[in-house]
Amino acid sequence: MRRFSLAERLVHRTTSWLMLLCVGSAAFLYVPQLAELVGRRYLVVTVHEWSGILIPVPFLAGLASHALRRDLERINRFRPYDREWLRAVRRRWHWEGARPSGKFNAGQKIYAPWIAGATILMVFTGLLMWFTGLFPLVSRTSATFVHDWLALAIGIVLFGHIGMAFKDPGARRGMRTGYVDEGWARREHSEWEDERAEEERERPAGDPGPRPVPATDPAGRRD
């Protein structure tokens, strides 16, 4: 069954590469053992600055996609079963059905706005550090403090996000091809079908809804 549109996958893929480039170049700037391996520090600084500035661009361009805007609405809508999911995670319940979720689980609904807000703050503090002559010393010092510690937090969260993805081949396939198996969807996102049905009922009269998608994925597997 269809999970992500081409536009959503391109936004995710482009943002991921920019984020990894930004975090990787930051590591070579701040970790002494890595900094010693780089001869052209100015080039690393330039890569870090521009990859950081460009991180929001794919998302802003992707807002032209109806599918992306619709998924943002789903992420911003916390439902009762999302609290059940969080309780199950907190108590480490792993049996089938213990962690109900719609298209996005509660963890994803928390992660998405957190990383978005952190990215905005990183860009802002980065600009304060970049254009040093436009702001007083106290502003640059505060920006450096926030930028450095938030970068560490983002790095930890990102590697956690990547680690979770490596443990879930179904999720990776959905982001890679746009399609997932029905069995995976029922097991990992048990409320997704009900969520879709509710959205159909709430759709205003005359709204044609999203464009129909093929019944098979590029590999020929049916929904």
Side-chain angles (χ1 to χ4, degrees):
M1 61 189 297
R2 183 70 173 267
R3 182 162 173 81
F4 294 116
S5 68
L6 175 61
E8 291 176 293
R9 301 198 314 274
L10 288 175
V11 168
H12 184 270
R13 193 165 303 170
T14 308
T15 303
S16 299
W17 281 112
L18 286 170
M19 184 69 78
L20 288 174
L21 188 60
C22 187
V23 171
S25 57
F28 278 93
L29 290 173
Y30 287 96
V31 179
Q33 292 80 0
L34 294 177
E36 292 175 356
L37 303 176
V38 180
R40 302 182 64 182
R41 182 177 175 85
Y42 179 76
L43 176 61
V44 179
V45 171
T46 303
V47 169
H48 179 71
E49 291 172 341
W50 282 103
S51 60
I53 290 294
L54 292 174
I55 284 175
V57 173
F59 172 77
L60 294 175
L63 290 176
S65 165
H66 177 272
L68 178 60
R69 297 196 305 273
R70 192 70 191 92
D71 275 350
L72 288 176
E73 292 177 11
R74 296 185 180 102
I75 288 173
N76 289 328
R77 193 169 185 177
F78 221 76
R79 298 172 181 268
Y81 51 72
D82 290 318
R83 296 184 180 86
E84 295 180 33
W85 189 94
L86 291 173
R87 184 169 63 250
V89 170
R90 188 172 63 252
R91 298 181 180 180
R92 299 184 180 180
W93 294 343
H94 294 284
W95 63 80
E96 187 173 350
R99 301 183 181 188
S101 66
K103 184 175 183 179
F104 301 100
N105 62 44
Q108 292 166 329
K109 291 180 178 181
I110 293 172
Y111 169 79
W114 185 89
I115 197 68
T119 299
I120 293 172
L121 187 54
M122 288 294 286
V123 171
F124 176 70
T125 54
L127 288 173
L128 289 178
M129 296 163 60
W130 191 351
F131 298 100
T132 55
L134 299 180
F135 304 95
L137 178 61
V138 63
S139 298
R140 300 197 305 272
T141 303
S142 301
T144 302
F145 177 83
V146 172
H147 196 86
D148 290 352
W149 283 103
L150 186 55
L152 178 61
I154 289 176
I156 294 172
V157 172
L158 275 181
F159 281 109
H161 177 70
I162 294 171
M164 297 276 294
F166 270 103
K167 293 179 181 178
D168 194 341
R172 294 202 312 274
R173 177 179 175 239
M175 187 53 71
R176 187 177 66 253
T177 68
Y179 290 82
V180 295
D181 295 326
E182 278 192 351
W184 178 89
R186 285 193 298 268
R187 184 175 63 256
E188 301 293 336
H189 299 270
S190 56
E191 304 295 325
W192 189 3
E193 280 296 330
D194 291 341
E195 183 182 60
R196 291 168 66 180
E198 182 180 339
E199 290 170 357
E200 289 291 332
R201 292 192 298 269
E202 292 177 350
R203 181 174 296 143
D207 184 352
R211 181 175 58 85
V213 298
T216 58
D217 71 5
R221 289 178 284 267
R222 296 189 63 82
D223 284 2

